[in-house]
Amino acid sequence: MAACCFRRSIASQLSKVLDLPPENLIKSISAVPVSKKRHVADFQLSIASVTEDSSSESSAQDLHLQAQKLAERTVLQQVLKDGSEYGVKSELFCTVPRQKVVIEFSSPNIAKKFHIGHLRSTIIGNFIANLKVALGHEVIRMNYLGDWGMQFGLLGVGFQCFGNKEKLKSSPLQHLFEVYVQINKEADDENVKKLAKDFFRKLEEHDEQTLSLWKQFRDFSIEEYIRIYKRLGVHFDEYSGESFYQQKSQEVLKMLEDKGLLQKTVKGTGVVDLSEKKDLSLFSTVMRSDGTSLYITRDLAAAIDRMNKHSCDTMIYVTDKSQSSHFQHLFQILKLMGYDWAERCQHVSFGLVQGMKTRRGEVVFLEDVLNEVRSRMLQNMASAKTTKEIEDPIETAEKVGLAALIIQDFRGLLSSDYQFSWDRALQSRGDTGVFLQYTHARLHSLEQMHGNEQLTDVNVACLQEPDAISVLQHLLRYDEVLYQSSQDLQPKHIVSYLLTLSHLAAVAHKTLPVKGSAPEVAQARCCLFQAARSVLANGMKLLGITPVTQM
């Protein structure tokens, strides 16, 4: 199609918004030159050329009309009408098919430390799930626990030596970790090795007493995880684990053998050849020499089982980037087995975090991090001059502190490593989660003070100041940012957008007073700040942050 046909189509649509004849607009629409840096748009509209043939008075009227209709029809009206669905109802998402998605994230190992990688997986997976749900997809949030393997033989022996049933009930994660550390000191002892091997063999043979103890480890741990995840505002639809696929992994090995994909090495291990030339230059080990399964075999069984159970359109795995080759092998083997849906599986990887320590030392459990950030935030709030009397300072400190952790984590590319800093994360000024929470609380306070004005009462022509127009124009971009994040699953686009919105709203709050302004102007400004707060809250919730109303 010729460019002029595109211009006519664009002009026809613009004429309805600008109340100008299409013929007057066609000449003002020009193709954007291709840029090596980035592709911005196909066409641009020159406002100056639209009005160059008119008198300066009518030009000004046209531009005022444009600003008024822009605000009235596409921003303020839309934000307040759509509420929490503003942005996600955009025409950008009209052609995006609704899907069923399984997202595996967090996935800690029972009895091992819940390291910072698991925290990253938890908040990243939660963000992806929130975004998918907001866009109308059906999401199954899955926690795939590390609840099987030889370490449970050692843990079982350790518990028989050092375990305490009361401590197991009251603080399972801490107690099992302590037991595991103690027994590990004796792991080289031949007698301990034999006992651990016997315990795990009994577990695999489903010995009733052994299985009962393992089940207690698992059940009590999940109960505590649920309580801790609740503090994070995270929930799961399913708790799965490697233990579920102990038997099914043997079925997978049989399938691989039947399809001629399983090869035995001289050592007796089972491998799948992944090389192009089929010369074993690249392979994946799927079976030990004694015929038992490995982690990847259980992952294969889990993927097949999930697809059979949920008939999902795609599966997303959220783990650190050190597991990238594992997932490449996993998807490749599934394809070799004839599962075309493996093409729709995705590994979202993330980088490492250095320097996250509590005052007591290295982070061991997620709860240590949550307690530390709450404690530091309470201290900061107590010493801040701007802190007001709030109903529940502990809960507020936790929500603000969590926002600080999430924003510091989400500011860059997920695959990048970064150095964690408590001081930087908890700053009240600058590009931090604390600043987002402060801005939201401030805008909420303004709403409460002046009431929630209805859009029908608002004369948007009162919003002609540059600082008001800046906020309106930024609100217009929200759907584009959501679309960008939905495409690459990177939260940094939303984070950057919300930080800019907060800075723009802070400037507008200073330069556009509500109190003391003419009633019509005050109403319009109230509406502007209400729209900014609404979009800010929507974006924060997608990131996994609960906005506070007092600070």
Side-chain angles (χ1 to χ4, degrees):
M1 188 187 285
C4 61
C5 297
F6 279 122
R7 289 193 182 97
R8 184 169 293 281
S9 174
I10 294 167
S12 175
Q13 293 175 60
L14 282 173
S15 69
K16 296 170 189 173
V17 178
L18 299 177
D19 279 355
L20 293 171
E23 299 303 324
N24 289 20
L25 293 167
I26 289 173
K27 62 181 180 181
S28 309
I29 298 167
S30 59
V32 177
V34 175
S35 167
K36 287 183 181 178
K37 292 182 180 178
R38 63 190 182 108
H39 194 80
V40 180
D42 294 319
F43 295 91
Q44 61 189 1
L45 173 69
S46 167
I47 293 295
S49 60
V50 170
T51 59
E52 66 185 4
D53 296 331
S54 315
S55 67
S56 58
E57 189 179 338
S58 64
S59 299
Q61 285 174 351
D62 282 343
L63 289 174
H64 277 302
L65 179 67
Q66 181 210 17
Q68 180 175 338
K69 290 190 180 294
L70 192 69
E72 183 179 41
R73 293 184 184 178
T74 54
V75 188
L76 296 183
Q77 184 187 47
Q78 211 65 48
V79 171
L80 300 175
K81 178 188 168 191
D82 291 350
S84 62
E85 292 189 316
Y86 174 69
V88 301
K89 292 175 84 172
S90 163
E91 64 273 10
L92 288 175
F93 299 106
C94 285
T95 57
V96 177
R98 299 296 176 258
Q99 294 185 324
K100 189 174 187 181
V101 187
V102 170
I103 305 173
E104 179 196 301
F105 63 104
S106 193
S107 305
N109 297 302
I110 288 174
K112 289 189 178 180
K113 73 175 186 177
F114 192 114
H115 59 73
I116 190 61
H118 292 121
L119 174 59
R120 286 207 85 185
S121 175
T122 305
I123 60 176
I124 292 165
N126 189 49
F127 157 71
I128 294 169
N130 290 344
L131 183 61
K132 293 280 185 187
V133 168
L135 296 174
H137 303 291
E138 183 184 349
V139 173
I140 294 136
R141 301 164 187 249
M142 186 169 291
N143 200 336
Y144 185 68
L145 299 171
D147 63 355
W148 201 255
M150 279 301 293
Q151 75 267 25
F152 280 92
L154 199 57
L155 182 65
V157 173
F159 193 80
Q160 288 167 347
C161 297
F162 311 111
N164 180 303
K165 289 199 173 180
E166 289 306 310
K167 284 185 180 178
L168 179 64
K169 281 183 184 177
S170 61
S171 185
L173 300 181
Q174 182 70 35
H175 185 53
L176 288 176
F177 180 66
E178 287 167 356
V179 166
Y180 193 68
V181 167
Q182 275 185 286
I183 196 65
N184 243 319
K185 291 173 185 173
E186 301 176 30
D188 291 333
D189 183 282
E190 288 303 318
N191 187 45
V192 171
K193 278 183 184 177
K194 182 182 179 300
L195 289 170
K197 202 171 181 181
D198 288 347
F199 187 96
F200 188 60
R201 180 181 49 77
K202 285 180 184 176
L203 200 56
E204 288 190 305
E205 291 169 356
H206 295 145
D207 172 73
E208 199 173 318
Q209 195 176 348
T210 311
L211 206 58
S212 172
L213 184 60
W214 169 84
K215 197 170 183 303
Q216 285 183 62
F217 294 166
R218 190 180 191 279
D219 292 350
F220 286 140
S221 294
I222 288 175
E223 277 180 30
E224 189 167 2
Y225 278 132
I226 289 170
R227 181 182 60 77
I228 296 166
Y229 286 133
K230 193 174 179 183
R231 286 181 67 179
L232 270 174
V234 173
H235 75 276
F236 291 91
D237 302 303
E238 268 186 48
Y239 279 85
S240 181
E242 291 181 66
S243 60
F244 284 65
Y245 300 105
Q246 192 54 29
Q247 295 301 317
K248 288 184 178 178
S249 60
Q250 292 301 316
E251 294 170 22
V252 166
L253 290 173
K254 181 77 169 61
M255 287 167 70
L256 289 168
E257 193 169 17
D258 291 347
K259 289 176 183 289
L261 296 169
L262 187 66
Q263 297 184 37
K264 294 276 182 74
T265 65
V266 288
K267 292 180 180 177
T269 57
V271 299
V272 175
D273 189 355
L274 301 176
S275 62
E276 283 184 28
K277 295 179 180 177
K278 298 301 172 191
D279 58 1
L280 285 173
S281 56
L282 178 66
F283 64 87
S284 178
T285 305
V286 294
M287 186 182 75
R288 290 193 182 94
S289 56
D290 62 1
T292 56
S293 64
L294 291 163
Y295 181 64
I296 192 164
T297 331
R298 296 191 281 274
D299 265 7
L300 287 165
I304 295 164
D305 181 61
R306 285 173 200 173
M307 189 55 76
N308 289 339
K309 181 181 177 182
H310 296 293
S311 300
C312 53
D313 296 291
T314 185
M315 286 192 281
I316 296 171
Y317 298 82
V318 185
T319 72
D320 69 75
K321 60 186 179 185
S322 69
Q323 294 194 48
S324 292
S325 64
H326 167 83
F327 285 102
Q328 284 170 8
H329 290 181
L330 177 70
F331 303 154
Q332 208 171 337
I333 294 170
L334 286 168
K335 275 186 249 179
L336 288 172
M337 292 174 78
Y339 294 113
D340 295 337
W341 48 258
E343 294 280 358
R344 305 195 305 273
C345 293
Q346 183 179 0
H347 177 219
V348 175
S349 62
F350 53 84
L352 304 175
V353 183
Q354 287 95 24
M356 182 174 268
K357 294 182 179 180
T358 66
R359 291 188 177 95
R360 292 189 301 163
E362 288 290 343
V363 169
V364 176
F365 298 110
L366 172 59
E367 198 154 28
D368 293 336
V369 180
L370 298 181
N371 291 340
E372 181 82 8
V373 74
R374 183 175 66 190
S375 162
R376 286 176 183 256
M377 202 60 234
L378 271 171
Q379 195 176 341
N380 288 6
M381 284 162 59
S383 60
K385 293 175 185 175
T386 53
T387 301
K388 298 175 182 176
E389 283 292 321
I390 50 182
E391 290 171 17
D392 192 338
I394 292 174
E395 190 181 342
T396 300
E398 182 139 309
K399 287 174 181 173
V400 175
L402 185 56
L405 287 179
I406 289 173
I407 294 302
Q408 180 160 234
D409 198 287
F410 285 179
R411 280 190 63 194
L413 269 174
L414 293 180
S415 57
S416 301
D417 301 339
Y418 76 91
Q419 188 73 28
F420 181 83
S421 161
W422 285 107
D423 292 337
R424 190 170 65 246
L426 297 174
Q427 281 176 357
S428 58
R429 297 181 185 277
D431 292 344
T432 66
V434 181
F435 176 60
L436 289 188
Q437 289 283 33
Y438 176 72
T439 304
H440 184 272
R442 202 175 182 193
L443 292 174
H444 181 269
S445 174
L446 189 70
E447 263 181 59
Q448 298 300 107
M449 200 182 300
H450 298 286
N452 300 330
E453 300 297 338
Q454 295 300 309
L455 187 68
T456 49
D457 301 326
V458 174
N459 179 4
V460 290
C462 296
L463 298 173
Q464 295 306 313
E465 299 86 354
D467 292 335
I469 296 295
S470 292
V471 173
L472 291 172
Q473 287 176 335
H474 196 63
L475 292 175
L476 271 175
R477 289 191 53 244
Y478 186 56
D479 62 341
E480 294 175 13
V481 172
L482 292 182
Y483 185 77
Q484 205 173 357
S485 279
S486 75
Q487 293 299 294
D488 62 11
L489 302 182
Q490 295 285 337
K492 72 186 185 83
H493 311 302
I494 296 173
V495 169
S496 176
Y497 175 88
L498 295 180
L499 289 167
T500 301
L501 177 60
S502 294
H503 286 296
L504 292 173
V507 171
H509 188 267
K510 283 181 183 175
T511 61
L512 307 173
V514 175
K515 191 177 179 181
S517 298
E520 202 175 34
V521 174
Q523 285 175 350
R525 289 176 180 176
C526 266
C527 188
L528 177 72
F529 291 125
Q530 187 184 345
R533 187 206 57 76
S534 176
V535 172
L536 178 59
N538 292 347
M540 289 167 75
K541 287 172 189 172
L542 287 180
L543 297 173
I545 297 168
T546 303
V548 299
T549 54
Q550 290 179 305
M551 224 179 122

